[in-house]
Amino acid sequence: MRLSCPLCGPRDRREFYYYGSDDYLNRPHSDPQADASSGGWSDAWEDYLHLRDNPAGRLRDLWYHEGGCGAWLAVTRDTSTHQVFDVALVVDLKGKAGS
Amino acid sequence: MRYSGLKVLAQGVMGNRGWRPAWRTPAPKSEYDMIIIGGGGHGLATAYYLAKNHGITNIAVLEKGYLGSGNIGRNTTIVRANYFLPGNSEFYSHSLKLWEGLESDLNYNVMHSQRGLINLFHSDGQRDAFARRGNAMINQGDDAILLDREGVRSHLPYLDFEQTRFPIYGGLLHPRGGTARHDAVAWGYARGADQRGVDLIQNCEVTGIDIQNGRVTGVQTTRGPIRAKKVGMVAAGRSGQVAAMAGMRLPVESHILQAFVTEGLKPVIDHVVSFGMGHFYISQSDKGGLVFGGDLDFYASYAARGNLPMVEHVMEAGMTLMPMIGRAKVLRSWGGIMDMTPDGSPIIDKTAIEGLYIDCGWNYGGFKAVPASGWCMAHLMATDHPHEVARRFRLNRFATGHLLDEEGTGSQHNLH
């Protein structure tokens, strides 16, 4: 499997570190007042850290180009066929993904 | 039909014309007391123990393919009870005890072979960790022996003791660990459940879960709707899709784990051996093939095949540990879909929906757990209370912070 890094071009899968689905882009905002009463925990954190749609099909997930440019990438691909549809820089998604 | 040596002899004399199918192929009824979604090892074991331990026999096991077509037939067949954390330790200990009585219980030869498992260690720190794990195993009532380098050499003279990159300091021997014939486990449980009246329904995919007023009332399938008072979801790597039919999101991400087998060889590896400095574990099947595997491919996938970098890594690890296998030809490699949780431990619990239960999150350790998983899931579905040895396998433990992170690798699904 290869991923086409927007900065480096097509690169071997071994250059990339896998993090998980793009739920990780939706980091909950901390709210000191609410956190004081809830102990800092909320369902938003459960969604962010643990719960996954886990689709057999189209998924957008996060990869780190560890052995290359060091960019975080959002890869849209099919988990059943390993076909890659799109690779985008996470930095370009900021503000569009709810984070 | 009860199997016995005498039966084999008599059938042999009579040309083996008297064997009958090991289970029926019934059409689904319109209603059952309980439905199990998933006819793999865990689902079949659940049905078997519901019937045997709790006398509940009006059950259907619904399998979208054929029985045992998933991970039960794809694993590296290792059976062990070498867990450390309270919650895991007593569960796998219970499972190993069930394994030891499984063949006589099922009247089925699952070829359970307690050939001993040796986990190698390669540094002082790793030795300390393994000594501690061994003590935990002994405290749990299981067996563990800490071997030094010469002790390992006496068991495994074929390892490369000369290489200096990952020197072998010793190993933790778990004499009651071993292997079993994985398909036979599914078949044995299927036959045992069928004999007790459970309907095993193959080629029957669940397409919907019916819920009314927060209570499960049945399922929709490719063979029509079936009503039931209680439904158990036991779908391993496909748990996410099954739970989604009930409107649930699970703390599970599905990943691929590859396994490999070589051509048949004369007996050469007597134990189950795992390498402590690269993810590699190996045993030899009774047919002679070397069965081995490594780590996940590390990215979420439902393709039941792996990618080449992990093939290369597994081969490298194997060659580093035991160069003698370099001439063996790999016959096949394949992948299984692992339901990975954020702490590497499983889930056997009720859901927020009345009458709906879930057994999933077996990561890549589900095979050895099959007997206890079925035992505890059956207990939960029959009594509505968690079984004592599975009480910590809660669905909400990630939210409450009661994680069972055996490897201490943190809250990321692919790191366990």
Side-chain angles (χ1 to χ4, degrees):
Chain A
M1 186 159 101
R2 286 183 180 189
L3 295 176
S4 287
C5 173
L7 301 178
C8 310
R11 293 302 182 106
D12 188 272
R13 179 259 173 275
R14 279 169 283 202
E15 292 189 7
F16 299 89
Y17 172 82
Y18 183 74
Y19 191 27
S21 82
D22 66 354
D23 291 83
Y24 283 125
L25 292 178
N26 302 317
R27 187 182 172 89
H29 299 286
S30 66
D31 176 347
Q33 279 188 332
D35 288 352
S37 59
S38 69
W41 186 256
S42 68
D43 289 345
W45 282 103
E46 174 85 332
D47 287 338
Y48 167 70
L49 284 171
H50 305 133
L51 301 185
R52 297 294 176 256
D53 288 338
N54 197 18
R58 207 176 177 93
L59 172 73
R60 191 172 73 173
D61 48 16
L62 305 184
W63 301 68
Y64 175 59
H65 198 179
E66 189 175 34
C69 59
W72 277 97
L73 308 176
V75 178
T76 308
R77 61 189 183 92
D78 190 306
T79 57
S80 294
T81 64
H82 294 171
Q83 184 184 355
V84 177
F85 302 112
D86 182 56
V87 182
L89 292 170
V90 167
V91 70
D92 291 341
L93 302 172
K94 289 280 180 186
K96 297 177 195 167
S99 61
Chain B
M1 181 193 291
R2 219 183 139 69
Y3 297 148
S4 66
L6 193 64
K7 201 77 129 194
V8 172
L9 201 65
Q11 286 294 334
V13 172
M14 297 189 300
N16 286 308
R17 284 189 296 270
W19 299 116
R20 294 284 168 264
W23 52 81
R24 301 164 292 131
T25 48
K29 293 192 273 186
S30 61
E31 182 165 8
Y32 291 91
D33 289 342
M34 295 188 189
I35 284 173
I36 310 294
I37 302 173
H42 293 257
L44 293 166
T46 300
Y48 173 78
Y49 290 119
L50 275 169
K52 178 170 185 272
N53 294 356
H54 304 281
I56 299 166
T57 57
N58 187 22
I59 303 172
V61 176
L62 307 182
E63 166 54 49
K64 74 170 177 178
Y66 57 92
L67 295 181
S69 52
N71 293 341
I72 186 76
R74 291 174 176 269
N75 54 74
T76 45
T77 80
I78 298 167
V79 174
R80 57 188 167 88
N82 59 348
Y83 282 70
F84 177 75
L85 291 179
N88 281 332
S89 181
E90 62 265 40
F91 176 83
Y92 291 101
S93 180
H94 181 61
S95 202
L96 184 55
K97 291 187 190 92
L98 291 174
W99 275 107
E100 288 168 338
L102 195 60
E103 289 166 336
S104 58
D105 186 30
L106 295 176
N107 177 230
Y108 204 90
N109 183 10
V110 301
M111 296 165 73
H112 183 215
S113 160
Q114 293 182 293
R115 57 187 66 182
L117 172 137
I118 298 176
N119 297 121
L120 299 169
F121 52 80
H122 309 267
S123 67
D124 289 331
Q126 210 173 21
R127 174 171 48 217
D128 291 349
F130 277 36
R132 191 167 175 232
R133 177 174 295 271
N135 286 334
M137 290 157 67
I138 291 166
N139 285 342
Q140 184 56 50
D142 298 317
D143 58 349
I145 300 167
L146 198 68
L147 302 174
D148 61 10
R149 185 181 164 89
E150 291 313 307
V152 169
R153 197 195 293 270
S154 70
H155 285 282
L156 312 173
Y158 49 78
L159 298 182
D160 184 359
F161 288 89
E162 307 309 319
Q163 57 111 346
T164 52
R165 179 68 183 87
F166 302 114
I168 295 166
Y169 275 44
L172 186 64
L173 169 64
H174 174 34
R176 285 166 65 216
T179 63
R181 171 82 170 90
H182 49 194
D183 297 305
V185 177
W187 300 333
Y189 275 119
R191 175 170 165 271
D194 176 83
Q195 284 175 343
R196 285 168 174 78
V198 174
D199 281 358
L200 308 175
I201 300 167
Q202 308 184 62
N203 300 312
C204 180
E205 183 173 355
V206 172
T207 55
I209 297 175
D210 300 331
I211 297 159
Q212 284 175 8
N213 303 322
R215 199 181 161 85
V216 75
T217 57
V219 298
Q220 301 290 322
T221 79
T222 50
R223 297 178 67 177
I226 307 175
R227 291 192 304 278
K229 297 175 194 74
K230 292 184 176 180
V231 175
M233 302 185 285
V234 194
R238 296 277 173 178
S239 291
Q241 281 80 61
V242 175
M245 290 186 243
M248 292 170 59
R249 275 182 107 210
L250 296 178
V252 169
E253 196 172 81
S254 292
H255 285 262
I256 288 300
L257 180 69
Q258 299 192 59
F260 308 85
V261 66
T262 69
E263 60 192 337
L265 303 170
K266 290 192 173 179
V268 59
I269 293 175
D270 300 329
H271 308 73
V272 181
V273 183
S274 81
F275 185 23
M277 289 306 290
H279 220 100
F280 178 80
Y281 38 89
I282 187 166
S283 66
Q284 188 168 16
S285 79
D286 290 353
K287 209 161 62 182
L290 304 181
V291 182
F292 55 98
D295 226 329
L296 294 176
D297 276 22
F298 283 122
Y299 49 90
S301 171
Y302 284 87
R305 57 182 165 75
N307 220 315
L308 288 173
M310 192 49 69
V311 177
E312 185 178 37
H313 173 81
V314 170
M315 301 302 162
E316 283 173 352
M319 286 300 291
T320 303
L321 188 63
M322 44 179 84
M324 70 164 184
I325 66 173
R327 291 288 189 87
K329 295 183 178 69
V330 173
L331 276 188
R332 289 190 300 279
S333 68
W334 63 93
I337 306 168
M338 309 290 116
D339 33 335
M340 304 297 296
T341 60
D343 65 355
S345 293
I347 294 159
I348 304 177
D349 204 355
K350 299 180 205 178
T351 68
I353 296 151
E354 188 82 16
L356 186 66
Y357 306 80
I358 187 155
D359 178 316
C360 73
W362 293 98
N363 296 274
Y364 42 79
F367 178 63
K368 63 184 164 298
V370 162
S373 168
W375 184 282
C376 295
M377 183 64 169
H379 185 276
L380 177 71
M381 290 184 71
T383 67
D384 273 321
H385 293 288
H387 189 278
E388 177 65 18
V389 300
R391 68 193 184 284
R392 298 195 199 211
F393 295 160
R394 301 299 304 276
L395 180 58
N396 69 350
R397 69 174 180 271
F398 306 100
T400 62
H402 295 84
L403 275 68
L404 291 166
D405 190 348
E406 187 80 20
E407 293 182 13
T409 41
S411 189
Q412 191 175 319
H413 301 76
N414 63 340
L415 294 186
H416 296 281

